[in-house]
Amino acid sequence: MAITVHEDRPAGRHAAIPSGSLFRRIYAPRASDALAFSMSTYAMPLLVLTITSSASLTGLAFALEWTPRIAAFVLAGNVVDRRGAAIVCFLASLGRATVVAVAAVALIMLPRGSAETAVILVLAAVTGTLSQFGFVANEAVGAVVARRGAARPHGIQAVLVGIDQTATVIGPLLAGFLLLAGPGWMLGCLSAVSLFAAVLGLQTPPTPLRAASTNGAGQVSGLRKGMRTLLKLPALGWLVAGLTCSNLALGLLQSASPVIVVETFHRSSASVGTMWSAAAVATLLAITCCRLVLSRLDLWAVGVVSATLASAACLAVPQAPSYASYTILVAIFMAGDGGLTVVLRTVRSVIIPSTALGATLSLTMLILLLPFPAAGVLVALTPPAHLGRVLMACAVVQAVALIVTFTRLRKAPALRLVADRR
């Protein structure tokens, strides 16, 4: 099946953005929102573990954080398509800042116990939903900018992944140390960062809007529209399928690591943040290597190397005898995952038609994130002593899925076509 590249022609207010404006209009809003996203993602389960010392409630918090994120994706894609990314970025970040600030005040006033735990669980669900609206909007902006007059779309996507990973370096570390001072300090900082992201979000460039239609095609839901588009793009479909299985292992590592680090290795909450920050540094190095290597190799080769690193590290993680070795293996895993993300985002930004951009982005993100609440439920139901066996089973599933994916993509026209656009 022939693969067609759909490009937006620079024209009028949708023209390509000058390179000098990329930082102010693209990278700065993305960085502030990514930092808030990272802090909330890694801090909520750790906050529950700090307050309750319960592995089951920690897994439940992770599941509650990701379940509404998944539910919000289709709606978020439709809103971005119809209203534009800038207003979505602003309202999502402003809402998160407000909710987190209210929760911080509530935690100060409430006594320790079930009421405090309930506030955090509700906060995890609400911030998860709002964060996904902002994430979909920022992904839409990145995809549009990459295709409008960009000679090296993988370069822009690598920068965006690098911004996300830089936020992942700072976010967990900052959240972990702020938790040592108290939950109120961490939530107050998260609220301030979210407010800053709301202000910067208004500067993001316009994205193509989908006008309301009175014909039958205009009534098709965003989910069905995204599915139809995805089925027409088999290379993207295989990538999404393989990385979905990989994300099950990633989600299990994210939800189980607070329990493993604190209870098994007897380290502090700051050590959990340090571990994820070290992993993010490794991911940044991997992304930098991808940008250099992609000037000589195609996306398939980069994907194979990244998949091999991620699979090998994940298979070894359950056998880690110490905190140091566990941290190193998680860092290697995340480095491989970063390379896979560059491959996915580059292919996704080039071959998705602009008329279905928000809907298809939302669907792919929806599929990719389905394993995360499942991982939280697994941690909630698994005794801490048996988490290693569950991790090993997920690692085997990940390895097999990635082998099948890149075997099928060996001669995929979409990956060769993207390479030709360098």
Side-chain angles (χ1 to χ4, degrees), residues 18 31 41 123 169 206 371 408 415-416:
T41 297
L123 178 64
V169 173
R408 294 299 300 263
L415 270 69
R416 292 204 307 269

Side-chain angles (χ1 to χ4, degrees), residues 30-39 42 161-174 277 280 284:
R30 177 69 167 240
S32 56
D33 185 74
L35 179 58
F37 186 101
S38 175
M39 287 183 66
Y42 290 97
V161 175
I163 289 172
D164 292 343
Q165 293 304 320
T166 302
T168 307
V169 173
I170 301 172
L173 192 62
L174 181 61
S277 294
L284 277 171

Side-chain angles (χ1 to χ4, degrees), residues 8 23 44 83 100 107 111 122 130 137 147 195 229 235 248 263 273 299 338 377 381 403 409 415:
D8 293 326
F23 176 80
M44 294 304 169
R83 303 299 179 187
V100 171
L107 289 179
V122 172
L130 293 172
R147 73 173 68 195
L195 184 60
T229 304
L248 178 61
E263 297 191 358
L299 286 168
V377 172
L381 297 178
I403 289 172
L409 292 177
L415 270 69

Side-chain angles (χ1 to χ4, degrees), residues 145-400:
V145 172
R147 73 173 68 195
R148 287 177 183 163
R152 294 167 59 89
H154 70 271
I156 290 179
Q157 289 300 328
V159 171
L160 294 178
V161 175
I163 289 172
D164 292 343
Q165 293 304 320
T166 302
T168 307
V169 173
I170 301 172
L173 192 62
L174 181 61
F177 278 101
L178 287 172
L179 275 176
L180 296 178
W185 287 97
M186 190 277 292
L187 293 177
C189 181
L190 175 57
S191 180
V193 173
S194 296
L195 184 60
F196 187 61
V199 174
L200 292 178
L202 291 175
Q203 302 184 70
T204 56
T207 51
L209 301 182
R210 187 182 72 233
S213 175
T214 57
N215 57 32
Q219 304 302 320
V220 177
S221 69
L223 182 61
R224 292 177 59 191
K225 184 175 185 178
M227 181 61 72
R228 289 178 180 178
T229 304
L230 186 60
L231 291 176
K232 294 177 182 178
L233 305 171
L236 182 60
W238 277 108
L239 279 174
V240 169
L243 267 67
T244 298
C245 295
S246 182
N247 278 352
L248 178 61
L250 174 58
L252 198 61
L253 280 175
Q254 288 184 347
S255 58
S257 286
V259 179
I260 293 173
V261 171
V262 174
E263 297 191 358
T264 302
F265 297 129
H266 307 292
R267 306 297 290 248
S268 68
S269 61
S271 297
V272 180
T274 301
M275 180 198 71
W276 286 116
S277 294
V281 170
T283 307
L284 277 171
L285 294 175
I287 292 168
T288 301
C289 291
C290 286
R291 295 184 65 185
L292 297 174
V293 170
L294 279 171
S295 62
R296 295 175 177 83
L297 301 177
D298 58 20
L299 286 168
W300 183 86
V302 173
V304 168
V305 173
S306 300
T308 301
L309 283 175
S311 299
C314 194
L315 287 168
V317 160
Q319 313 302 323
S322 65
Y323 169 77
S325 59
Y326 186 84
T327 299
I328 291 171
L329 289 171
V330 170
I332 296 173
F333 174 90
M334 293 300 293
D337 184 74
L340 290 172
T341 302
V342 172
V343 173
L344 173 66
R345 289 187 177 183
T346 303
V347 173
R348 191 171 61 186
S349 68
V350 173
I351 69 175
I352 297 177
S354 59
T355 53
L357 182 62
T360 310
L361 281 174
S362 295
L363 179 65
T364 58
M365 295 175 197
L366 170 66
I367 296 172
L368 287 168
L369 293 182
L370 283 173
F372 285 90
V377 172
L378 279 175
V379 172
L381 297 178
T382 304
H386 298 293
L387 283 176
R389 297 178 182 177
V390 177
L391 274 170
M392 179 59 74
C394 291
V396 172
V397 171
Q398 176 203 36
V400 172

